[in-house]
Structure formats: C-alpha cells, structure tokens
Amino acid sequence: MVGQFEHKAEAYIALGSNIGDREELLLEAIQLIDSDPDIRALRVSGIYETDPVGYTDQPAFLNMVIAITTSLKPLKLLHTLLDFEGRLGRIRHERWGPRTIDLDLLLYDNVRMDQEELTLPHPRMMERSFVLVPLHDVLMNSHPLHEGIATTAAAALQGGKEGIALWKTINWRNASEPFES
C-alpha cells in the first residue's frame, strides 16, 4: 500500500553538496524526500559549511541532517535516496570527490546491519564532524547515541578547528508546510 505507514521507523539522513547552487540542491533534496508518499521529514538541522574531507582539493560543502519517519525498509530507503541523488544530477566520479548532492542513511531506528550495500549505523559517521554536528541538531534526546554525539559535536564547534561552521538555519514548522530559508 503506497503511502500507508503501517510500520513507521525513524531514520536520519545526512545531506551534502559542493557543486552548483549548494543551498538550493539541499532544499530540493528535502522536498524530494518529503514528497515521497512513504517518507515524512520531521526535523531539519541547520546548514553547516564544512571543509572537504579525504579529497581536499575541492570547494567547501554545505551539510545538514534531516530526521524522517518512513514505512520503507532500510534497503528500499537507500535505493530511494540513490534515485533522488540521480534526479538531482549526482554523478559518481571519484570517492569523496565533488558532488551536486550526497544523501547518506546514517541511522534507522535501532537497526544494526552490515551488508555489502548498506551498513547501519553509518560506519564512519562518528569520525565526521560534518555529520555529527547537524545530527545533534535533530537527534532525539532519548536516542542511545545522543550523549556521545552531543559531546563530540560541542567539541567540533569550539574554535573552528574541525572546519565546520553554522552557515544558515531553516525554519521547518512541520512536514506539511513549505519551509522558508
């Protein structure tokens, strides 16, 4: 049943962009995600400008995280996100290279899985300030990882040494209304 939320899972998706109109691409990605009948955006982090990691000879990124509820199983959600990346012009040339949009599934309820196509929780998220800082904005206080993420996010923002700074906040009143920036 398309659009019926018989089982709702809460998941967290990291968004990043460093090619083209970065902010517009993030906003388009949120609208694509929220317009899917099996996904609802719940909470949206601030937008953070971040230095590239890994391959550093590229423009700065805008990164954020959204909390969603979904009736899709983890692999189906991953495939949906990959489809959205393609619709927004994502072409995979090199690992950690420049991109119009990157949508990474970070957490899906308390699911732990390690498959070739998908590992949950995301295997490198605890090493990446550009993920943890915006994730802290939207992660429920009751989540088992909240305390560790809060500590790491606070440390990352001190003194700007992690190459991350709040760039803009988004007013997302609720998932049924359009958002303003």
Side-chain angles (χ1 to χ4, degrees):
M1 287 191 191
V2 172
Q4 299 300 312
F5 280 67
E6 60 280 348
H7 167 73
K8 291 182 183 176
E10 185 159 298
Y12 296 86
I13 301 167
L15 297 83
S17 176
N18 76 335
I19 296 176
D21 187 337
R22 302 174 301 167
E23 180 183 3
E24 183 60 30
L25 285 159
L26 294 176
L27 299 179
E28 286 180 33
I30 295 169
Q31 288 189 344
L32 268 177
I33 292 166
D34 191 55
S35 69
D36 187 286
D38 296 308
I39 306 172
R40 285 292 159 263
L42 300 174
R43 295 176 302 282
V44 176
S45 76
I47 299 175
Y48 293 84
E49 188 164 51
T50 63
D51 293 340
V53 173
Y55 174 63
T56 57
D57 187 20
Q58 61 181 318
F61 280 84
L62 290 184
N63 291 99
M64 63 188 308
V65 172
I66 63 171
I68 64 161
T69 186
T70 184
S71 60
L72 300 176
K73 301 284 187 212
L75 281 172
K76 177 63 177 158
L77 178 57
L78 173 67
H79 294 151
T80 300
L81 296 175
L82 292 173
D83 176 63
F84 293 158
E85 286 183 348
R87 287 163 61 181
L88 292 169
R90 171 82 189 260
I91 298 170
R92 296 176 185 271
H93 288 297
E94 58 186 297
R95 187 173 185 169
W96 297 318
R99 69 223 42 197
T100 56
I101 195 73
D102 188 25
L103 303 174
D104 285 335
L105 181 55
L106 302 175
L107 300 165
Y108 182 101
D109 274 348
N110 290 317
V111 170
R112 292 193 172 280
M113 65 187 291
D114 189 1
Q115 297 182 3
E116 184 177 335
E117 202 171 2
L118 178 62
T119 301
L120 290 170
H122 190 287
R124 291 170 303 283
M125 75 175 197
M126 296 304 287
E127 305 161 8
R128 297 176 169 172
S129 299
F130 65 86
V131 170
L132 295 178
V133 171
L135 178 58
H136 178 256
D137 286 357
V138 296
L139 192 66
M140 297 296 291
N141 290 343
S142 60
H143 195 282
L145 295 176
H146 184 269
E147 187 175 322
I149 288 173
T151 301
T152 306
L157 286 172
Q158 288 179 350
K161 62 180 179 276
E162 293 286 329
I164 182 168
L166 181 62
W167 190 75
K168 190 174 199 176
T169 58
I170 293 177
N171 180 16
W172 179 277
R173 287 174 283 213
N174 70 50
S176 67
E177 296 179 26
F179 53 92
E180 302 168 6
S181 56

